[in-house]
Amino acid sequence: MTIKLMVVDDSPIICKMIKRVLEPQGIEVVFYAENGQVCLDNYDEFKPDVITMDVSMPVLDGLDTSRALIAKYPDVKIILMSSMSDDTLVETAKEIGIKYFASKPIDGDELFKVINEILGL
Amino acid sequence: MNSKFDTFVGCQVAAFQEIASSMLAIPVKESTIDNVNGQKTKISIVVGLVGNYKGRILITVDNVTSQKMGEVINCGELADDHEMFLCLSEFTNIFVGRGLTKINNEFKDANLRLTPPAIFEGDNLDILTPAIHSKQLFFDSELGQIFIDIGFEGV
């Protein structure tokens, strides 16, 4: 089974890094969104199994995007990815309903493990 | 001696060393000799810091070092200069974010966040931000020297 992943991040380099570490593990990046609004506009079409979500992005940031996604699709699987992981940010994310986090720089093994955990594999 | 300022700088330096080790896979060693600012062509990346304090972090490398750093981050040849700028921006973003996490967890009132990076490239480039308390640091590495200027206002 191929796992479908949507990468939401304003840096295309991050998407490239994620593809490099996850595609050999059978995880396919089905869509890259450069901001939260692009993610919301394309979610229905691609219906990813899991989303990696950056926090700071132009147009619509990762927290507001996640809030909107969770309200519309309560079962959506989101991994918040950020270079920042201070207590306030983590608390805010949890209040929104985000349960999974991965830090930047990307650690392929850590991310793969979190994806498996979030999908119950 | 301003202890809060020194702690803020210390958090950023520790984060820089951690991220250089993980993203660039190289150790960096602090130096007192400036081998960057005299170079003709340089690249500077500036990240703003906002929240209950204000500041900015500037990282400067010469064009040879920037190319080498970009290739390591990209795990291979770079398509063009734009890709190199993206790699350096991401590196800066990640180490500054890591540093701010350390500061925010230690000083709960700080609530610092970073702004998107601005990139400057040019010959004889000088970026001046005089109205700010800042610390200049030089780090030698096998990829070349990396200059970092860490400034905070009101700390």
Side-chain angles (χ1 to χ4, degrees):
Chain A
M1 181 192 91
T2 302
I3 296 167
K4 293 188 292 176
L5 173 71
M6 180 186 279
V7 176
V8 188
D9 200 302
D10 59 345
S11 171
I13 289 294
I14 291 294
C15 181
K16 200 173 169 182
M17 288 173 177
I18 289 175
K19 276 186 177 178
R20 192 170 52 236
V21 296
L22 293 183
E23 287 194 339
Q25 314 248 35
I27 297 171
E28 186 193 352
V29 176
V30 290
F31 189 73
Y32 165 62
E34 65 267 32
N35 64 58
Q37 190 58 53
V38 176
C39 162
L40 295 179
D41 293 345
N42 289 277
Y43 183 85
D44 270 335
E45 186 181 342
F46 291 94
K47 289 195 173 55
D49 299 308
V50 61
I51 297 174
T52 60
M53 182 75 70
D54 186 19
V55 176
S56 302
M57 290 180 288
V59 187
L60 194 63
D61 71 29
L63 295 176
D64 285 340
T65 308
S66 300
R67 193 179 281 115
L69 278 172
I70 291 167
K72 196 169 175 191
Y73 312 97
D75 294 329
V76 64
K77 313 283 190 203
I78 298 171
I79 301 169
L80 199 69
M81 287 195 67
S82 176
S83 59
M84 294 196 66
S85 56
D86 58 84
D87 302 341
T88 308
L89 176 66
V90 171
E91 221 168 89
T92 307
K94 283 182 177 168
E95 280 167 15
I96 289 168
I98 301 167
K99 296 175 192 145
Y100 295 87
F101 302 86
S103 56
K104 290 182 182 174
I106 294 159
D107 176 331
D109 292 337
E110 181 204 359
L111 188 54
F112 184 63
K113 200 174 145 193
V114 176
I115 289 173
N116 278 311
E117 199 184 327
I118 200 170
L119 295 175
L121 299 174
Chain B
M1 173 75 99
N2 181 333
S3 63
K4 193 177 266 187
F5 175 81
D6 290 338
T7 307
F8 280 22
V9 169
C11 288
Q12 287 298 338
V13 169
F16 169 72
Q17 289 170 326
E18 288 164 18
I19 300 302
S21 171
S22 60
M23 275 184 96
L24 300 176
I26 49 156
V28 289
K29 194 178 171 207
E30 201 173 334
S31 169
T32 52
I33 301 160
D34 177 1
N35 292 320
V36 172
N37 290 306
Q39 299 291 322
K40 189 168 182 248
T41 308
K42 288 171 290 186
I43 289 152
S44 288
I45 295 155
V46 184
V47 176
L49 312 175
V50 293
N52 291 330
Y53 301 99
K54 291 185 180 67
R56 58 102 188 97
I57 293 184
L58 169 72
I59 173 168
T60 302
V61 290
D62 65 40
N63 56 332
V64 176
T65 305
S66 64
Q67 194 70 23
K68 288 180 186 172
M69 286 172 71
E71 285 171 1
V72 173
I73 293 164
N74 192 47
C75 291
E77 213 171 298
L78 297 159
D80 49 30
D81 281 354
H82 179 68
E83 198 163 65
M84 182 263 288
F85 294 145
L86 289 174
C87 287
L88 264 61
S89 296
E90 204 50 44
F91 172 79
T92 309
N93 216 29
I94 288 173
F95 99 72
V96 175
R98 173 80 63 99
L100 293 188
T101 298
K102 291 176 190 287
I103 293 171
N104 287 341
N105 282 341
E106 191 163 342
F107 298 92
K108 297 291 181 194
D109 67 324
N111 199 25
L112 286 164
R113 295 286 177 256
L114 46 87
T115 66
I119 305 161
F120 302 88
E121 184 198 26
D123 290 346
N124 305 314
L125 184 68
D126 275 326
I127 298 175
L128 304 173
T129 47
I132 197 163
H133 182 197
S134 70
K135 171 105 176 165
Q136 290 79 39
L137 298 147
F138 304 95
F139 291 94
D140 289 335
S141 77
E142 61 189 57
L143 302 178
Q145 193 175 67
I146 303 167
F147 169 62
I148 303 177
D149 186 314
I150 303 168
F152 286 98
E153 186 188 279
V155 177

